[in-house]
Amino acid sequence: GITIYPHDAATAEQLVKNAENVMQLAKTQGGNRYQFYVANVDQKIRQTKVLEKQLASAVDDNQLELAFQPQVNLVTGDVSGVEALVRWRHPERGLISPTEFIPLAERTGAIVAIGEWVLKASCNALSRWHEQGFTHLTISVNISANQLHQSDIVHTVRSLLEETRVPPQFLVLELTETAIMNNVDLAIRLLRQIKQLGVQLAIDDFGTGYSSLAYLKKMPMDEIKIDRSFVQDMLEDPDNGTIVDAIIQLGHSLNLSVIAEGTETLDQIRYLQECECDVAQGYYYSQPIPEDALLTLLTQQRGQIRNATQRAAQASHTLLNK
Ligand code: C2E
Ligand code: CA
Ligand code: CA
């Protein structure tokens, strides 16, 4: 472990401590090596270790929550489904985003327990909503790469469907291309087994991985979600506009339903309607929100969402006829 005076510390005591810490780091990185003291790396490693440890008991400590984001049918204007997005309510740090803790959970294996919790909470929420009369709603749940391969996902989904009595066709599992391509033959086998349970499958973040069209054809998919990065500037960047249009045509020719993610403006909605995209999800309609807010939106604002979408449909119709 190497630390440098006066750059890293002013006292002998602190210097020795630094050197010792980075020596530990060098050892955990396989040993037989040296390591210079780097304040932020050192601190980051310690913070991550602490988080990983706390994450292991987050499910048991009831620290996970779901937020729900509506998905709106671009023809009827109805909320046709919602995506469940997990959050970690950390006792000291407050809400932590899944982009921060899911990668840690994947590395430590905590993703198996977290993934099961998310699936169960999602099915329970959906069955409450169906009981309250929103019988057409679907729920989409994210499944990460390691979750697909580490856990007995087929068994988990099967027992959950039995336990919660959710009709399987209302559950949509979202997987990224990268998750599937990791181990493509095994993934296809698992996906076929999941598909046999009657649930729907979606490809998430479509267009960002190395999508193989040959495999796309082989996979038992129902839905493609066009990644936010194409949607966000498709009106400013004509190339992305063309890509979005092409993905929609491709999806439809393979009999898949197409969802656009990250739609933030009315103009984007109009463009998607012109391209005959099926569904849109994004801040234009709603951010991910807690269950009670979702229920309010479903009961009170459904008319408003429908009106906004139909106005957009009429507007794009007028545009097309000009
Ligand atoms: P994702 O599956 O692509 O989820 C969509 C993300 O985009 C969400 O971020 C959502 O809040 C955000 N978003 C939605 N609409 C808009 C918009 O109009 N504009 C912008 N700028 N962003 C929008 P979030 O909730 O932070 O989730 C991030 C990622 O974490 C998700 O990306 C997903 O990959 C992962 N994730 C979330 N929940 C779970 C889970 O339960 N299990 C697993 N394995 N991964 C999850
Ligand atoms: Ca997703
Ligand atoms: Ca996505």
Side-chain angles (χ1 to χ4, degrees):
I2 304 168
T3 188
I4 295 172
Y5 175 86
H7 182 266
D8 297 337
T11 66
E13 198 185 355
Q14 190 57 45
L15 284 167
V16 172
K17 209 161 151 194
N18 286 354
E20 209 167 275
N21 280 343
V22 285
M23 181 192 66
Q24 292 302 336
L25 182 61
K27 282 188 176 169
T28 61
Q29 286 171 345
N32 199 23
R33 52 170 39 211
Y34 59 86
Q35 172 76 51
F36 278 94
Y37 177 78
V38 216
N40 54 355
V41 166
D42 182 38
Q43 198 187 355
K44 183 107 193 82
I45 287 174
R46 268 181 292 150
Q47 279 173 353
T48 307
K49 286 250 158 66
V50 172
L51 266 193
E52 279 179 358
K53 222 164 134 192
Q54 294 169 329
L55 190 55
S57 58
V59 171
D60 290 340
D61 296 344
N62 285 321
Q63 289 170 354
L64 296 185
E65 296 174 7
L66 291 182
F68 302 100
Q69 189 175 37
Q71 301 172 330
V72 177
N73 179 310
L74 286 173
V75 176
T76 64
D78 285 326
V79 176
S80 53
V82 300
E83 178 172 3
L85 294 154
V86 71
R87 274 96 185 83
W88 179 14
R89 193 170 289 279
H90 189 278
E92 290 122 40
R93 289 189 38 190
L95 273 195
I96 302 186
S97 150
T99 48
E100 187 175 345
F101 72 84
I102 293 289
L104 302 187
E106 289 219 75
R107 210 168 52 223
T108 63
I111 191 66
V112 176
I114 292 174
E116 280 178 17
W117 181 88
V118 170
L119 268 169
K120 186 166 184 173
S122 299
C123 288
N124 283 334
L126 186 70
S127 93
R128 285 193 291 277
W129 304 335
H130 278 194
E131 268 168 28
Q132 291 177 46
F134 302 108
T135 49
H136 60 285
L137 270 194
T138 59
I139 196 157
S140 301
V141 178
N142 294 286
I143 305 291
S144 68
N146 286 5
Q147 201 180 343
L148 186 65
H149 296 297
Q150 283 176 19
S151 63
D152 189 351
I153 184 93
V154 183
H155 173 79
T156 306
V157 173
R158 186 189 293 120
S159 22
L160 261 179
L161 288 171
E162 280 165 10
E163 192 184 317
T164 58
R165 305 192 166 249
V166 165
Q169 69 272 28
F170 291 95
L171 176 64
V172 184
L173 302 185
E174 296 190 0
L175 295 115
T176 62
E177 297 165 285
T178 334
I180 297 166
M181 291 303 169
N182 251 349
N183 186 341
V184 75
D185 294 322
L186 178 62
I188 291 183
R189 214 166 57 231
L190 284 171
L191 293 181
R192 291 208 172 124
Q193 288 173 23
I194 296 173
K195 191 67 206 150
Q196 278 183 347
L197 301 174
V199 305
Q200 299 198 57
L201 293 171
I203 303 191
D204 206 355
D205 305 343
F206 188 80
T208 56
Y210 45 109
S211 353
S212 155
L213 297 182
Y215 280 120
L216 184 60
K217 204 179 62 181
K218 275 196 200 164
M219 286 184 293
M221 288 295 161
D222 301 283
E223 196 175 285
I224 301 184
K225 296 189 83 174
I226 308 175
D227 190 68
R228 191 165 80 217
S229 57
F230 300 112
V231 176
Q232 244 156 11
D233 63 352
M234 65 187 178
L235 299 180
E236 292 77 41
D237 179 346
D239 287 345
N240 277 351
T242 308
I243 290 175
V244 167
D245 192 19
I247 296 178
I248 296 168
Q249 307 312 320
L250 170 76
H252 287 168
S253 62
L254 292 171
N255 258 326
L256 303 170
S257 162
V258 183
I259 299 197
E261 296 191 292
T263 44
E264 296 183 352
T265 68
L266 180 59
D267 286 338
Q268 290 169 347
I269 300 287
R270 286 181 178 153
Y271 181 79
L272 291 166
Q273 285 175 322
E274 277 176 47
C275 300
E276 299 186 328
C277 186
D278 304 288
V279 177
Q281 178 184 345
Y283 296 168
Y284 174 69
Y285 290 116
S286 168
Q287 301 224 348
I289 47 179
E291 180 167 4
D292 53 350
L294 177 76
L295 283 170
T296 311
L297 184 146
L298 287 175
T299 30
Q300 291 176 1
Q301 294 178 6
R302 187 151 85 177
Q304 275 177 26
I305 283 190
R306 184 183 287 157
N307 290 341
T309 306
Q310 281 174 352
R311 267 202 308 280
Q314 276 160 8
S316 66
H317 193 68
T318 329
L319 272 180
L320 284 176
N321 285 343
K322 268 184 188 160

